Amino acid sequence: MVNAFGIAALALGGYALVRAVRREMTRVERKVSEAARKDTDGAPPKALVRDPETGRYRPEE
């Protein structure tokens, strides 16, 4: 009988943990999405062009 209570407590604790993690993930995703929307201001993204000297990519001017 004690084992059943222990398993039930672990299941409830796991469920609460999953809900808390999911809530936090949703909050962070919303915050990142809002920041991305503010950053672009509706402008289309710039194309990246490879610099032949360094081999790095930089925004097209």
Side-chain angles (χ1 to χ4, degrees):
M1 190 68 172
V2 173
N3 289 341
F5 288 128
I7 291 171
L10 285 174
L12 288 175
Y15 178 71
L17 180 65
V18 167
R19 285 190 57 186
V21 168
R22 185 180 302 157
R23 189 177 320 119
E24 181 67 13
M25 287 173 51
T26 302
R27 184 189 69 80
V28 169
E29 194 275 329
R30 187 179 316 123
K31 192 172 184 178
V32 168
S33 295
E34 288 174 5
R37 253 184 267 124
K38 288 179 184 177
D39 187 40
T40 59
D41 293 331
K46 294 182 179 182
L48 296 177
V49 179
R50 186 168 189 242
D51 184 11
E53 294 176 10
T54 62
R56 294 186 179 194
Y57 288 88
R58 60 179 66 181
E60 188 175 53
E61 295 178 17

